[in-house]
């Protein structure tokens, strides 16, 4: 089979938003798909050399069998609005943000009825995936259409991901604790630096390692986790109230 | 060399307080020393079968070349007072508590001038040492006498420990952060249980693992860390103030 034919039989995957996470997707999926990416910022030449780079999101979406929207929460609704009219019938539209209720609602409301919509949250980032994605977790929420089972099977079999099928609401409840607390604790501890690094216990080393994994996350990630997740405020209140109660007990 | 002779050439190590940590010491040191232990609670028969068990602390101390005091902080001064008169000249007296300034001062004040005093803090417990102690850390503070270098060399060469030579004051400054913060965060998170265990990130898994290592620590350990460490209150205040500040920022 010559290259031309191989190319024709491969599906096209378009990535809207080619930041750190978009590039991670490209790295792991270029073996399976024709890739085409768009980012509002210029894509560096060494990265662009490996992928098809498009001048606009509409161009990407109109060519793609699968579209991954990896843009920040703040621009998400604008991106979905702009691409809605050019989605291919039967295409799979996927998001990858840290919260799921709001983006799911936006996609359901704005995208046409003849596309598949799958809201996802890869529970990892460039830092935790630096040695590969095998064994890492991804939450997926089927929103519209029937292709989510095949999509999940691909993630499991080809990428070795642990796929957690859930709903946007269930996801956001758990993520408010898992990500909300990790980032809160990280923010507080990082503001206490320098922390000891030699005279440490194993439990403190584990805490420090956990914190170091999120310390370079973009500010938008923290914003999304703490503000766009409808359950984050409640979790945060419980955390701060329990901390204040413990403080009062110890002051006695 | 018959058994009788071997016995005579081995030094005797006495352990006062044969709880979880005293037993961990016994487990790792019975290959090197004649062991003799005392605990105010009856020592279980299966444990007692492996070690010499004494009916009183004075009996233990008067026979021992090395005495390890592994009793709770609350009874520490009483124990030291009671044994002071029967220490062998040249013996090494060691404590193993989580704070170092106060116990060092007590030992220095109450023990005779002709013993070696070494304040130590093994930065591990039965949980973190369940697969062995090699590579784990211990802080040691030379308080009196000259044998601390030989003692440190034994810990390094025979047990494979990483030995951190420090002062009681330096130790307590670092431990207030390392142990103080780990236990505070653990207390708060454990009171928020049940925490998600499936839909988790790697950073949250590391935090959870760190917390689970201290969750079964005796209440006296938490008391010692938060109340007997002179720097703990300041660290706690900084943590709670920074948490409150972050909360206020997020509420805006």
């Amino acid at each position: 089979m010559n290259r031309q034919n191989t190319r024709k039989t491969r599906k096209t995957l378009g990535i809207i938003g080619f930041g750190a996470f978009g590039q991670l997707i490209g790295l792991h999926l270029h073996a399976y798909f024709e890739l085409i990416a768009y980012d509002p910022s210029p894509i560096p030449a060494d990265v662009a050399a490996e992928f098809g780079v498009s001048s606009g999101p509409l161009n990407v979406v109109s060519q793609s069998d699968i579209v991954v929207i990896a843009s920040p929460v703040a621009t998400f609704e604008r991106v979905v609005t702009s691409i809605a009219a050019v989605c291919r019938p039967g295409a799979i539209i996927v998001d990858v943000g840290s919260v799921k209720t709001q983006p799911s609602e936006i996609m359901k409301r704005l995208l046409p009825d003849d596309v598949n919509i799958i809201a996802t949250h890869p529970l990892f980032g460039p830092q935790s995936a630096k040695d590969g994605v095998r064994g890492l977790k991804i939450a997926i929420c089927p929103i519209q259409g029937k292709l989510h089972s095949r999509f999940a099977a691909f993630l499991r079999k080809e990428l070795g991901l642990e796929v957690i099928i859930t709903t946007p609401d269930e996801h956001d409840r758990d993520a408010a604790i898992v990500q909300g607390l990790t980032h809160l604790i990280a923010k507080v501890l990082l503001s206490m630096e320098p922390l000891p690094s030699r005279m440490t216990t194993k439990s403190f080393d584990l805490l420090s390692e956990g914190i170091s994994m999120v310390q370079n996350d973009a500010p938008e990630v923290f914003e999304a986790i703490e503000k766009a997740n409808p359950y984050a405020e409640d979790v945060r209140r419980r955390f701060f109230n329990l901390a204040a109660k413990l403080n009062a007990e110890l002051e006695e």
Side-chain angles (χ1 to χ4, degrees), chain A:
Chain A
M1 201 186 280
N2 66 31
R3 185 144 184 233
Q4 192 64 26
N5 281 346
T6 314
R7 288 208 153 202
K8 277 197 179 152
T9 59
R10 279 155 59 112
K11 303 253 183 211
T12 297
L13 184 138
I15 303 172
I16 310 283
F18 211 54
F21 201 83
Q23 291 179 36
L24 184 68
I25 295 171
L27 181 71
H28 289 281
L29 296 184
H30 79 273
Y32 304 96
F33 301 99
E34 286 303 303
L35 284 189
I36 180 166
Y38 165 75
D39 196 276
S41 309
I43 294 175
D46 58 331
V47 175
E50 296 193 38
F51 305 100
V53 172
S54 182
S55 55
L58 302 193
N59 191 358
V60 169
V61 174
S62 63
Q63 292 180 68
S64 297
D65 304 294
I66 304 169
V67 176
V68 179
I69 308 172
S71 2
V73 172
T75 60
F76 187 78
E77 183 157 2
R78 187 149 29 97
V79 170
V80 177
T81 304
S82 75
I83 67 167
V86 298
C87 292
R88 287 188 176 188
I92 301 177
I93 316 295
V94 175
D95 83 319
V96 292
S98 304
V99 290
K100 295 274 64 73
T101 45
Q102 202 182 35
S104 301
E105 180 277 316
I106 290 169
M107 290 192 289
K108 179 84 177 155
R109 174 163 49 85
L110 297 172
L111 294 175
D113 290 340
D114 61 2
V115 300
N116 294 273
I117 303 173
I118 307 175
T120 82
H121 179 197
L123 294 158
F124 54 86
Q127 175 70 12
S128 43
K130 68 179 193 302
D131 300 323
V133 297
R134 206 151 284 273
L136 298 180
K137 298 174 179 180
I138 184 169
I140 81 171
C141 312
I143 305 297
Q144 178 175 289
K146 294 181 174 170
L147 291 185
H148 57 271
S149 301
R150 275 174 68 187
F151 181 81
F154 169 81
L155 298 176
R156 277 195 197 100
K157 288 179 192 161
E158 300 295 339
L159 303 185
L161 292 173
E162 179 182 339
V163 177
I164 299 165
I165 311 275
T166 183
T167 64
D169 190 70
E170 281 292 320
H171 168 276
D172 283 4
R173 276 179 203 272
D174 279 359
I177 296 174
V178 166
Q179 297 196 286
L181 291 184
T182 304
H183 280 79
L184 276 190
I185 291 167
K187 284 265 170 197
V188 175
L189 291 197
L190 291 169
S191 60
M192 293 182 83
E193 287 200 318
L195 298 169
S197 58
R198 183 158 185 237
M199 218 211 61
T200 59
T201 56
K202 194 152 178 194
S203 47
F204 185 78
D205 289 341
L206 288 165
L207 249 64
S208 299
E209 194 187 340
I211 286 156
S212 73
M213 293 183 81
V214 303
Q215 74 175 320
N216 296 320
D217 279 5
E220 304 90 65
V221 175
F222 184 67
E223 288 282 309
I225 288 167
E226 294 298 340
K227 299 199 169 162
N229 185 321
Y231 298 102
E233 189 177 337
D234 175 57
V235 168
R236 205 161 64 220
R237 288 236 167 102
R238 280 170 61 208
F239 177 82
F240 289 125
N241 287 343
L242 287 164
K245 187 163 157 265
L246 179 59
N247 190 29
E249 281 168 23
L250 288 164
E251 300 277 311
E252 263 174 19

